[in-house]
Amino acid sequence: MSIYIYGDLHRHIDLDPLIKHTKEEGATSDDVLIILGDFGGVWSSEEEDNEFLKHLADVVPYKHILFIDGNHENFSRLNAMPIVEMYGSPVHEVLKDKIYHLMRGYKYTIEGKTFFAMGGASSIDRHLRTEGVDWWADEQPNNGEYERAFRTLDENNFTFDYIISHCVAQRVQCYLSSYLTDKNKLTNFFDSIIDDLKYTRWYFGHYHLNKTCEDYKAECVYQRLIKI
């Protein structure tokens, strides 16, 4: 079994590149896909979402499609999904036996590799959006999720094979581009832990770039499939 990482999906918008790259990589039904936020599969009505989720499950062969949340998710619906245990921690079951949401602040063990998952990000265009329609305050972690994250970090001595997030520490943002100046509680959280973390690679999405920051062993991923 192999594990693949993919940047933001944005529901239908970036589905064709995922299908193309999946075929090129030769991924199979034994493999697992992890999407780095802005999944978008839980966004509209239950009926519309289920139609998309079943379509996604049909057009790519992965055993499981896992995702962390970004800032463009319908958190009212996502947070109401059933919670089951998978890969060593709770997940939201989005499509039974196929698609699962990796919840904030947990450690997941997939094919013997450990992942610290911390979704969420800030929408820079939130002033143009309507709360409860296309923007949710839950795009940022709450205090309980930060507490859970710190417990997980402490319990694992801040050591994981991989870190997966949607946004990233401010110091890494600045490395990607001098124009990336978004600073908020979550980017501050990542800045506060990055020096203590021990990891092989940090994968994140959000910025619609493909760029590597070797100083922090961090990789921004967009419309690109990475086998790890």
Side-chain angles (χ1 to χ4, degrees):
M1 184 182 99
S2 297
I3 303 169
Y4 290 90
I5 298 285
Y6 189 75
D8 314 16
L9 186 63
H10 294 118
R11 199 178 185 113
H12 296 290
I13 298 174
D14 296 333
L15 188 52
D16 286 345
L18 173 61
I19 295 170
K20 175 178 179 287
H21 295 318
T22 294
K23 289 179 179 177
E24 290 173 349
E25 287 286 337
T28 73
S29 58
D30 291 327
D31 301 327
V32 170
L33 174 67
I34 301 175
I35 297 170
L36 300 170
D38 280 5
F39 173 61
V42 182
W43 183 258
S44 305
S45 68
E46 183 176 354
E47 182 180 359
E48 289 175 320
D49 287 347
N50 283 341
E51 182 179 347
F52 169 75
L53 294 168
K54 290 174 182 176
H55 174 66
L56 175 61
D58 286 340
V59 296
V60 291
Y62 301 98
K63 176 183 178 182
H64 291 142
I65 297 170
L66 313 176
F67 68 96
I68 57 171
D69 53 276
N71 48 306
H72 297 313
E73 322 287 357
N74 182 332
F75 288 97
S76 295
R77 293 203 58 238
L78 182 59
N79 292 335
M81 295 282 178
I83 296 176
V84 299
E85 190 89 2
M86 179 166 282
Y87 297 115
S89 287
V91 298
H92 283 118
E93 185 179 64
V94 175
L95 184 66
K96 187 174 176 61
D97 297 327
K98 189 71 174 186
I99 302 176
Y100 300 90
H101 169 230
L102 303 180
M103 297 166 67
R104 297 170 179 170
Y106 284 109
K107 168 190 171 182
Y108 296 94
T109 303
I110 306 170
E111 193 63 10
K113 302 296 183 182
T114 57
F115 294 78
F116 175 68
M118 193 65 179
S122 176
S123 296
I124 60 172
D125 63 348
R126 56 189 173 275
H127 62 288
L128 301 173
R129 295 174 177 267
T130 302
E131 185 165 6
V133 177
D134 56 4
W135 180 82
W136 286 263
D138 289 340
E139 67 178 17
Q140 284 276 309
N142 58 41
N143 289 338
E145 290 167 331
Y146 283 118
E147 290 170 4
R148 181 167 68 214
F150 278 118
R151 283 197 304 272
T152 299
L153 292 167
D154 286 335
E155 289 168 0
N156 293 277
N157 298 313
F158 282 70
T159 303
F160 305 87
D161 291 307
Y162 300 101
I163 312 298
I164 49 174
S165 63
H166 190 55
C167 68
V168 75
Q170 173 66 19
R171 68 184 81 173
V172 181
Q173 278 189 162
C174 292
Y175 185 95
L176 295 174
S177 170
S178 59
Y179 296 104
L180 290 173
T181 57
D182 186 33
K183 190 171 185 178
N184 53 66
K185 190 173 181 179
L186 184 52
T187 62
N188 290 343
F189 165 77
F190 288 136
D191 271 309
S192 75
I193 66 172
I194 195 168
D195 289 331
D196 295 320
L197 281 168
K198 303 176 187 67
Y199 56 91
T200 300
R201 209 75 175 164
W202 186 326
Y203 293 107
F204 60 99
H206 188 48
Y207 304 100
H208 294 197
L209 294 168
N210 283 298
K211 195 165 185 179
T212 300
C213 175
E214 284 299 345
D215 288 352
Y216 294 101
K217 297 183 292 184
E219 194 153 356
C220 189
V221 184
Y222 182 58
Q223 292 191 351
R224 184 161 59 106
L225 194 64
I226 297 174
K227 183 178 180 179
I228 64 172

